[in-house]
């Protein structure tokens, strides 16, 4: 009796706590629900870097992160995946093609000098000598250029190269990933000292977008190895919102059907199971927010499914209770026996499902992980609500004499011996 | 209602066998015509899907087709709802896709991009391998647990019932793939694994009861009778649990979005098969197994 009071108190605390968490904490929606792009980049060995080591991958991730920051997407996520992949999540990104172009290029910047005969020869000046790069409007207002700033030694190299070229008519070649983006000549006035000051501009008839993308790429530096976009999953915000609405409606519809079914079939215990189910829903959702679990479409499906499975424990218990009642046992004993005897089945059932969840979680990728996580949390919460909560409620109700009727348990034709 | 599983078990075996054989035939046909036992979706084969939303109304597919096929050759184009057009192709690079979008915009007017899915061929292979690995691992895990909690023959019979459900689900989706072009994706693997968990769960409940009854009644009754009793005692529970699961799955299958709908359908099929197999097959198998082992009248030993 004393213990039951404590349990009721605990349940009350759990309910209030869950409601508070649900009311105050934000729900984190996956990209498929809020809209956005998820890209997987695959690193490939190059002639220079023959093997993609973990260090190389760290370098790739760092550069990708820089570029993503340049995109100005809030709450973007860059993480390593497997031994040679990078996963990039860009919530709310409008133009996935831009992101793909931006992230997929190696962006190896090289300054080359033209030699007699029109060929370009490599120099020691490259992308690593830059400290900054930014788009700026051309002075005439027609088009854009990209301003760059060199490091100290980079500025010296630039001065030396431009001095060599000044006045010769041979061009300076600015190459990005082996493609010339700009090939200016250096005026004769620089023949003495070259272009000093550590600054330069790349003019190449860029559009505003091209200039801004180039700026981001140059500033972030080159990727140590080339990468390829091997996966792109983009969902628009409208489609995401549609999915949220749909899953909300179907979830509510399904839950109401289950609630009605339980009352129709199990009467008083059914009502108790329904209350336990509502508490289950609140607690699970609160835990989702607390962890936090990123809700995806399969994740919601896992949650909805767990509602259906959550009542299974109660069904097991109440069927057992009914059986005990039919065999002529007293109400109180029957209820206790129902809970006790069903426990081993409930435990086995939960463990087998949890094994599946664990496998899915550790092997699966994004969406699958979400499903496994929500289902597993649901199963664990259910062990508490379907057993402890509904047992406490049911036994509390049996304190009221006019509730102590087998008919209320869906059992008829049994002499009412429901006295304690 | 009293079910006599022990008397009519051959009928249930035959029913299951018929369903599974039909599925296997579909898988063979599918293997010959499509190169895989099920119609594999973009997740596994690799490819690109672009879904465009026009407002107020999508143009006719006939208007879209020439624009797409000029660039890409014969392509699968579908209308989804009133506003959406989905184009499925081989895996496109960003530039190819951008070019396609530009050409479509030039000839069809404005549209929004609802969804892009590009999966490279290597990643598709990876997803498939991972899915099969997950299936294998969870089977092993569950079997180990059952062998630990019950006896070895229980574990064997439960896993046969499990394979039954997996085969039924695969078979039905293979048939659906042949008849209606239904494709399987990563979510289908998830559904398969969920069904595995549920199927065992369902079987375990019946076995739990058999074990309990053996402890208390083994002197009075034969093994087949005890199994029959146990099945009947858990029958209402089995049915009710299926009903509640279906109650939440049906709205998903009917009103859910395109991706979730097939997922829900897979679960519905799998759960129904799971309940059927745990009522009719799993327990019948156990009787058959024990009858085979002991030619003498079955003496069920009390077991822990």
């Amino acid at each position: 009796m004393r213990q039951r009071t404590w349990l009721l108190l605990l349940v009350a605390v759990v309910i209030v706590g869950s409601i508070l968490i649900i009311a105050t904490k934000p729900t984190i929606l996956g990209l498929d629900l809020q809209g956005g792009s998820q890209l997987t980049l695959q690193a490939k060995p190059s002639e220079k870097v023959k093997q993609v080591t973990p260090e190389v991958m760290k370098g790739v991730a760092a550069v990708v992160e820089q570029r993503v920051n340049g995109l100005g997407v809030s709450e973007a996520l860059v993480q390593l995946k497997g031994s040679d992949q990078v996963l990039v999540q860009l919530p709310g990104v409008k133009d996935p093609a831009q992101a793909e172009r931006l992230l997929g290029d190696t962006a190896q910047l090289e300054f080359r000098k033209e030699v007699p005969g029109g060929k370009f020869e490599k120099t020691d000046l490259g992308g690593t000598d830059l400290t900054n790069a930014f788009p700026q409007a051309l002075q005439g207002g027609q088009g854009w250029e990209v301003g760059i700033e060199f490091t100290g030694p980079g500025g010296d190299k630039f001065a030396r190269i431009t001095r060599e070229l000044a006045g010769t008519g041979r061009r300076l070649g600015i190459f990005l990933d082996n493609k010339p983006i700009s090939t200016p000549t250096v005026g004769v006035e620089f023949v003495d000292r070259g272009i000093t000051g550590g600054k330069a501009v790349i003019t190449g008839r860029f559009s505003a977008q091209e200039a801004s993308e180039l700026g981001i790429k140059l500033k972030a530096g080159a990727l140590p190895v080339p990468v390829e976009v091997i996966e792109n999953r983009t969902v628009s915000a409208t489609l995401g919102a549609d999915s949220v609405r749909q899953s909300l409606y179907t979830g509510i519809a399904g839950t109401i059907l289950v609630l009605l079914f339980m009352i129709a079939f199990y009467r008083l215990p059914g009502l108790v199971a329904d209350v336990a189910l509502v508490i289950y829903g609140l607690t699970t959702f609160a835990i989702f927010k607390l962890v936090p679990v990123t809700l995806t479409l399969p994740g919601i499906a896992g949650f909805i499914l767990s509602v259906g499975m959550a009542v299974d424990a109660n069904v097991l218990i109440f069927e057992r209770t009914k059986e005990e009642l039919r065999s002529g046992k007293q109400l109180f004993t029957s209820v206790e026996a129902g809970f006790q005897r069903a426990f081993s089945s409930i435990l086995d059932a939960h463990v087998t499902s949890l094994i599946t969840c664990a496998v899915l979680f550790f092997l699966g990728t994004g969406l699958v992980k979400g499903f496994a996580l929500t289902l597993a949390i649901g199963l664990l919460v259910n062990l508490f609500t379907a057993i402890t909560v509904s047992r406490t409620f049911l036994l509390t109700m049996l304190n009221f004499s006019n509730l102590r009727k087998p008919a209320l348990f869906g059992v008829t034709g049994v002499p009412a011996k429901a006295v304690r | 209602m009293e079910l006599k599983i022990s008397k009519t078990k051959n009928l249930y075996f035959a029913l299951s066998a018929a369903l599974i054989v039909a599925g296997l035939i579909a898988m063979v046909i599918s293997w010959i015509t499509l190169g895989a036992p099920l119609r594999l979706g973009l997740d596994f084969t690799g490819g690109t899907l672009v879904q465009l939303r026009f407002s107020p109304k999508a143009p006719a597919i006939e208007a879209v087709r020439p624009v797409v096929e000029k660039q890409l050759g014969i392509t699968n184009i579908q209308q989804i709802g009133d506003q959406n057009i989905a184009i499925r192709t081989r895996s496109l690079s960003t530039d190819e896709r951008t070019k396609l979008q530009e050409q479509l915009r030039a000839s069809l007017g404005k549209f929004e991009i609802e969804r892009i899915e590009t999966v490279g061929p290597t990643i598709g292979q990876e997803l498939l391998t991972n899915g099969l690995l997950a299936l294998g691992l969870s089977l092993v895990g569950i079997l180990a647990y059952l062998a630990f909690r019950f006896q070895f023959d229980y574990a064997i019979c439960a896993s046969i019932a499990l394979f039954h459900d997996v085969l039924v689900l695969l078979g039905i989706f293979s048939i659906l793939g042949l008849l209606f072009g239904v494709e399987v994706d990563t979510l289908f693997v998830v559904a398969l694994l969920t069904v595995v968990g549920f199927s065992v769960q369902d079987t375990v409940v019946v076995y739990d009861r058999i074990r309990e009854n053996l402890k208390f009644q083994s002197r009075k009754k034969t093994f087949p009778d005890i199994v029959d009793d146990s099945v009947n005692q858990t029958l209402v529970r089995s049915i009710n649990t299926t009903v509640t699961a279906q109650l939440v799955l049906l709205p998903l299958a009917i009103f859910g979005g395109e991706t979730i709908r097939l997922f829900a359908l897979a679960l519905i099929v799998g759960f129904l098969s799971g309940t059927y197999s745990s009522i009719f097959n799993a327990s019948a198998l156990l009787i058959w197994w024990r009858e085979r082992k002991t030619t003498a009248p079955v003496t069920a030993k009390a077991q822990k």
Side-chain angles (χ1 to χ4, degrees), chain B residues 25-31 33-34 37 39 172-182:
Chain B
I25 292 174
M27 283 190 246
V28 170
I29 297 175
S30 178
W31 193 293
T33 54
L34 305 170
R39 191 182 285 269
I172 287 186
F173 268 72
S174 177
I175 295 173
L176 288 177
L178 287 176
L179 295 182
F180 305 108
V182 170

Side-chain angles (χ1 to χ4, degrees), chain A residues 266-268 325 404-412:
Chain A
Y266 292 107
R267 312 293 166 83
L268 182 65
L325 278 174
R404 267 178 271 173
K405 288 174 190 149
L408 286 176
F409 283 70
V411 174
T412 46

Side-chain angles (χ1 to χ4, degrees), chain A residues 27-34 244 285 288-289 292-301 303 367 370 374:
Chain A
T27 314
I28 299 179
L29 295 180
L31 291 184
D32 56 341
L33 295 178
Q34 63 162 310
V244 172
F285 194 44
F288 286 174
K289 288 190 165 201
V293 176
T294 305
L295 274 187
T296 57
L297 206 49
I300 293 181
F303 182 44
L367 293 181
T374 52

Side-chain angles (χ1 to χ4, degrees), chain A residues 19-310:
Chain A
I19 290 174
L20 277 178
I21 292 170
I22 291 172
T24 52
K25 287 239 172 198
T27 314
I28 299 179
L29 295 180
L31 291 184
D32 56 341
L33 295 178
Q34 63 162 310
S37 284
Q38 173 175 312
L39 307 174
T40 307
L41 307 175
Q42 165 93 49
K44 291 176 164 177
S46 63
E47 274 177 29
K48 245 192 280 170
V49 184
K50 294 235 161 48
Q51 208 174 4
V52 180
T53 59
E55 282 71 43
V56 171
M57 285 314 291
K58 266 186 214 153
V60 171
V63 173
V64 168
E65 192 147 359
Q66 285 260 316
R67 292 187 189 173
V68 166
N69 289 342
L71 263 178
V73 178
S74 59
E75 289 176 52
L77 177 87
V78 176
Q79 69 183 42
L80 289 175
K81 182 181 156 196
S83 61
D84 56 356
Q85 295 176 350
V86 180
L87 184 79
V88 183
Q89 295 194 326
L90 305 167
V93 73
K94 282 267 162 54
D95 182 4
Q98 185 195 9
E100 279 173 294
R101 276 199 306 273
L102 199 56
L103 300 181
D105 278 351
T106 312
Q108 184 74 51
L109 183 72
E110 283 169 337
F111 290 85
R112 300 182 186 176
K113 50 187 183 187
E114 192 177 14
V115 290
K119 281 199 173 164
F120 283 94
E121 188 179 73
K122 287 196 182 182
T123 69
D124 55 354
L125 183 63
T128 48
D129 293 309
L130 299 189
T131 55
N132 199 6
F134 44 87
Q136 56 192 37
L138 273 179
Q139 290 207 322
Q142 293 281 324
W144 289 71
E145 58 188 13
V146 178
I148 49 177
E149 286 168 14
F150 293 106
T151 59
D156 295 343
K157 289 183 206 168
F158 186 66
R160 197 191 68 229
I161 295 165
T162 45
R163 195 182 62 225
E164 286 171 26
L165 292 172
T168 61
R170 285 183 279 131
R171 289 170 298 169
L172 171 71
I174 304 173
F175 282 68
L176 189 72
D177 293 336
N178 294 318
K179 274 181 236 140
I181 50 172
S182 179
T183 50
T185 49
V186 184
V188 73
E189 66 269 29
F190 296 109
V191 78
D192 285 343
R193 300 168 60 192
I195 301 175
T196 52
K199 285 183 188 171
V201 288
I202 303 173
T203 39
R205 264 182 252 149
F206 301 120
S207 69
Q209 197 186 17
E210 282 165 350
S212 124
E213 285 176 18
L214 183 59
I216 294 171
K217 277 190 269 196
L218 292 183
K219 195 176 171 187
L223 289 167
V225 286
V227 297
E228 191 192 348
V229 179
I230 53 166
E231 195 183 10
N232 173 353
R233 294 180 192 267
T234 299
V235 167
S236 75
T238 12
L239 192 64
D242 276 357
S243 304
V244 172
R245 203 173 322 120
Q246 261 170 356
S247 20
L248 203 63
Y249 291 159
T250 50
I252 290 173
T255 310
I256 290 177
L257 287 175
V258 169
L259 294 177
L260 290 177
F261 175 82
M262 288 301 281
I263 293 184
F265 212 91
Y266 292 107
R267 312 293 166 83
L268 182 65
L271 187 67
V272 170
D274 283 356
V275 174
L277 194 63
V278 172
I279 296 175
Y280 166 82
L282 288 176
T283 318
T284 313
F285 194 44
I287 292 180
F288 286 174
K289 288 190 165 201
L290 210 58
V291 171
V293 176
T294 305
L295 274 187
T296 57
L297 206 49
I300 293 181
F303 182 44
I304 295 176
L305 177 65
S306 76
V307 168
M309 292 168 92

Side-chain angles (χ1 to χ4, degrees), chain B residues 154-188:
Chain B
Y154 281 71
I156 296 276
C157 293
S159 52
I160 295 176
L162 189 67
F163 274 111
H164 167 273
D165 302 334
V166 170
L167 283 176
V168 166
L169 181 52
L170 289 175
I172 287 186
F173 268 72
S174 177
I175 295 173
L176 288 177
L178 287 176
L179 295 182
F180 305 108
V182 170
E183 293 179 346
V184 296
D185 53 11
T186 328
L187 275 186
F188 180 76

Side-chain angles (χ1 to χ4, degrees), chain A residues 230 236 312 320 323 344 348, chain B residues 114 120 149 208-209 212 241:
Chain A
I230 53 166
S236 75
D312 176 47
R320 206 54 198 253
E323 256 180 70
S344 119
D348 285 340
Chain B
E114 281 283 77
R149 284 280 288 167
D208 228 33
R209 198 54 183 257
E212 187 188 324
T241 296

